[in-house]
């Protein structure tokens, strides 16, 4: 395959220019100007469309095994490809939990049959109970790319510290869901002006902040590569910034919904704007954007969390938390960060490609000779409407939104897996 006249944007090398890209046997075999087609070679004329590394989403729920009426590996892979995502890292809170080599290998074996790259984390603790640590060595050997009890906080500080120490020995990321449940009455809704208006007691930011403060210091002490998942509080951003300054190997994820919306969205979208951690205040949203700008937050991940329409149609305090995000993440980033001037396109893509690849030791994330041919090809100035979805679920407040950044092709392992 020969891609002609694409505008390459490569965050790893911080370079951008017009080039041709030749793909052979799933890899980038040649880069250069005016490359001549080979006999019987497929040619795709890009006419200046942007070519970037395929997006890597470090926080995904495909609900497989156990809850596949919401999503499964196949529909999740289709949704990812439509969103320009060529690699996903799935969370371990499936049914059964990914706390055994058997369950892990089952997911990885079935995931290898899909058109994108599906990576799988393993649970930190058996049954997500935060009491008995899983066999990290065996799970890493079986293919786990990291460890997390996402959805459940590790409340026992000593247990969390020991898990970090083991992750540090293996040089594996350990990702943490940060909430002290003793502060929370109703999850998924910020405790603030909107919850008061609705007569609902919600989840205050202090529930996240006290855990982030603890784990920043544990990260500094253990030297583990620690990820603060789906950060939602401005104070949490400041804590991560301090921990980085002190020398901790700490990272933070921001979701598109947390840098785009505030708690006010609950009044408009109801349960479609209910997620955990919740949307917070405008001050928090702007602090997250500032953290993205100065590098405190180095990952953009969706926390893609599909639910059925029936589940989301329940009353606000009863409906499950979470929204889908794979098919809108690039568009939301371009629309709400790049077009407004908070980040350059290069900076946005760095947090969605190279940074996650480097943290999780993945082969993708860069465009260079010999690298995997995992690419997203899009027009950052072309508008499109998020009105159709390939995911089984469409529980998102962004349904019908007009966004910049229309995706024209997604290529994974040298194969076109989506054409828009």
């Amino acid at each position: 395959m020969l891609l002609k006249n694409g505008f390459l944007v490569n965050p790893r090398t911080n370079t951008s220019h017009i080039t041709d890209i030749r793909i052979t046997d799933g890899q980038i075999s040649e880069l250069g100007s005016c490359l001549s087609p080979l006999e019987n070679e497929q040619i795709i004329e890009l006419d200046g469309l942007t070519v970037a590394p395929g997006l890597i989403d470090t926080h995904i729920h495909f609900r497989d095994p156990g809850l596949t009426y919401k999503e499964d590996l196949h529909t999740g892979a289709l949704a990812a490809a439509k969103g320009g995502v060529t690699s996903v890292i799935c969370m371990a809170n499936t049914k059964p939990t990914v706390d055994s080599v058997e369950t892990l290998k089952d997911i990885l074996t079935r995931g290898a049959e899909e058109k994108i790259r599906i990576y799988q984390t393993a649970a930190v603790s058996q049954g997500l109970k935060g009491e008995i640590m899983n066999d990290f060595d065996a799970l890493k050997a079986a293919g786990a790319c990291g460890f997390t009890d996402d959805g459940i906080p590790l409340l026992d500080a000593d247990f969390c510290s020991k898990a970090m120490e083991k992750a540090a020995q293996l040089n594996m990321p350990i990702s943490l869901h940060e909430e002290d449940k003793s502060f929370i009455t109703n999850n998924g809704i910020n405790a603030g002006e909107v919850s008061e208006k609705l007569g609902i007691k919600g989840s205050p930011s202090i529930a996240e902040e006290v855990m982030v403060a603890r784990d920043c210091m544990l990260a500094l002490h253990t030297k583990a590569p620690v990820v603060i998942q789906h950060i939602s509080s401005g104070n949490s951003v400041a804590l991560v910034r301090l921990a980085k300054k002190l020398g901790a190997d700490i990272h933070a994820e921001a979701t598109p919904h947390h840098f785009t919306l505030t708690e006010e969205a609950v009044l408009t979208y109801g349960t479609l704007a209910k997620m955990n951690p919740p949307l917070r205040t405008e001050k928090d949203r702007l602090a997250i954007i500032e953290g993205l700008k100065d590098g405190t937050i180095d990952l953009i991940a969706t926390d893609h969390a599909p639910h059925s329409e029936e589940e989301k149609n329940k009353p606000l305090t009863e409906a499950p938390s979470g929204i889908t995000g794979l098919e809108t993440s690039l568009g939301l980033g371009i629309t709400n960060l790049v077009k407004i001037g908070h980040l350059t396109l290069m900076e946005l893509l760095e947090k969605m490609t190279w940074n996650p690849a480097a943290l999780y030791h993945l082969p993708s994330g860069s465009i260079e000779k010999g690298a995997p041919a995992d690419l997203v090809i899009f027009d950052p100035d072309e508008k499109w409407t998020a009105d159709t979805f390939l995911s089984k679920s469409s529980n998102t407040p962004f349904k019908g939104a007009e966004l910049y950044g229309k995706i024209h092709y997604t290529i994974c392992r040298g194969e076109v897996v989506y054409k828009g």
Side-chain angles (χ1 to χ4, degrees):
M1 180 187 299
L2 181 62
L3 307 177
K4 295 287 292 181
N5 300 309
F7 184 71
L8 181 150
V9 178
N10 191 5
R12 181 182 184 184
T13 57
N14 195 32
T15 55
S16 56
H17 53 88
I18 294 288
T19 189
D20 298 343
I21 303 173
R22 172 164 280 126
I23 297 171
T24 307
D25 297 328
Q27 292 188 320
I28 297 169
S29 57
E30 194 172 2
L31 294 157
S33 300
C34 303
L35 296 182
S36 299
L38 302 176
E39 186 177 355
N40 299 321
E41 187 171 40
Q42 179 187 3
I43 301 171
I44 300 178
E45 178 56 61
L46 301 183
D47 293 320
L49 289 173
T50 297
V51 183
L55 307 184
I56 300 171
D57 196 326
T58 60
H59 194 148
I60 292 294
H61 299 273
F62 277 170
R63 311 298 192 196
D64 191 344
L67 297 168
T68 53
Y69 68 93
K70 302 174 190 258
E71 191 81 282
D72 58 43
L73 294 180
H74 182 63
T75 59
L78 293 175
K82 185 178 180 183
V85 179
T86 56
S87 297
V88 297
I89 295 176
C90 295
M91 298 296 98
N93 58 341
T94 51
K95 294 182 183 298
T97 302
V98 187
D99 56 7
S100 70
V101 167
E102 181 184 16
T103 301
L104 173 63
K105 285 187 173 181
D106 167 63
I107 296 170
L108 292 176
T109 298
R110 290 186 293 113
E113 299 175 1
E114 300 299 332
K115 298 293 188 181
I116 67 159
R117 301 179 193 270
I118 297 177
Y119 298 95
Q120 180 64 55
T121 57
V124 174
S125 67
Q126 290 182 20
L128 305 178
K129 294 180 179 179
E131 298 171 352
I132 302 173
M133 196 185 312
N134 285 316
D135 187 339
F136 281 20
D137 293 283
L139 290 163
K140 177 181 179 179
C145 66
F147 301 98
T148 180
D149 274 10
D150 178 56
I152 306 292
L154 296 176
L155 295 175
D156 186 320
D158 182 59
F159 178 85
C160 185
S161 179
K162 286 181 169 61
M164 285 188 189
E165 289 172 354
K166 186 60 182 178
Q169 290 176 16
L170 297 175
N171 191 27
M172 295 275 279
I174 181 168
S175 302
L176 303 173
H177 179 108
E178 304 288 45
E179 60 174 350
D180 186 332
K181 294 184 177 182
S182 63
F183 291 99
I184 299 171
T185 303
N186 289 305
N187 239 325
I189 306 155
N190 186 48
E193 292 182 6
V194 170
S195 66
E196 290 177 4
K197 187 179 297 186
L198 295 172
I200 296 171
K201 292 184 178 180
S203 173
S205 61
I206 187 65
E208 173 179 294
E209 293 155 4
V210 294
M211 295 291 287
V212 172
R214 183 200 76 175
D215 291 337
C216 281
M217 292 303 98
L218 289 179
L220 183 64
H221 173 71
T222 63
K223 305 187 186 313
V226 170
V227 180
I228 304 299
Q229 296 181 297
H230 42 45
I231 201 164
S232 71
S233 158
N235 288 340
S236 296
V237 177
L239 289 164
V240 172
R241 184 179 291 115
L242 173 61
K244 281 179 176 276
K245 186 176 181 180
L246 292 173
D249 184 9
I250 196 160
H251 309 264
E253 302 170 347
T255 71
H257 44 274
H258 284 113
F259 66 64
T260 298
L261 301 174
T262 69
E263 60 182 349
E264 296 287 332
V266 176
L267 298 176
T268 302
Y269 302 105
T271 62
L272 293 180
K274 180 183 180 182
M275 68 280 298
N276 187 24
L279 300 169
R280 301 204 189 273
T281 67
E282 177 67 1
K283 181 179 178 182
D284 291 308
R285 188 184 76 87
L286 293 176
I288 288 170
I289 291 174
E290 192 59 37
L292 288 164
K293 290 168 68 174
D294 68 14
T296 299
I297 302 172
D298 48 2
L299 306 168
I300 291 175
T302 63
D303 191 12
H304 177 80
H307 295 292
S308 70
E309 187 175 352
E310 292 76 16
E311 290 168 320
K312 278 295 190 178
N313 281 339
K314 292 180 179 180
L316 188 59
T317 56
E318 298 175 21
S321 296
I323 71 171
T324 56
L326 277 167
E327 296 171 69
T328 54
S329 61
L330 181 61
L332 288 167
I334 292 172
T335 304
N336 296 303
L337 296 176
V338 177
K339 290 298 181 181
I340 295 174
H342 294 308
L343 297 180
T344 65
L345 182 60
M346 185 76 74
E347 290 168 334
L348 174 71
L349 292 170
E350 179 184 41
K351 298 173 193 299
M352 301 181 81
T353 62
W354 176 243
N355 285 356
L359 175 61
Y360 282 90
H361 316 292
L362 305 182
S364 308
S366 183
I367 301 176
E368 55 195 275
K369 186 175 180 180
D374 294 359
L375 308 168
V376 57
I377 299 168
F378 62 98
D379 184 344
D381 299 317
E382 185 176 355
K383 289 184 176 180
W384 62 285
T385 302
D387 52 6
T388 59
F389 299 89
L390 296 183
S391 170
K392 277 188 183 180
S393 303
S394 57
N395 49 296
T396 170
F398 302 115
K399 186 186 296 184
E402 188 176 64
L403 303 172
Y404 285 98
K406 178 176 172 57
I407 294 170
H408 287 253
Y409 299 93
T410 303
I411 295 173
C412 188
R413 300 186 184 94
E415 178 184 349
V416 175
V417 295
Y418 173 77
K419 182 177 180 182

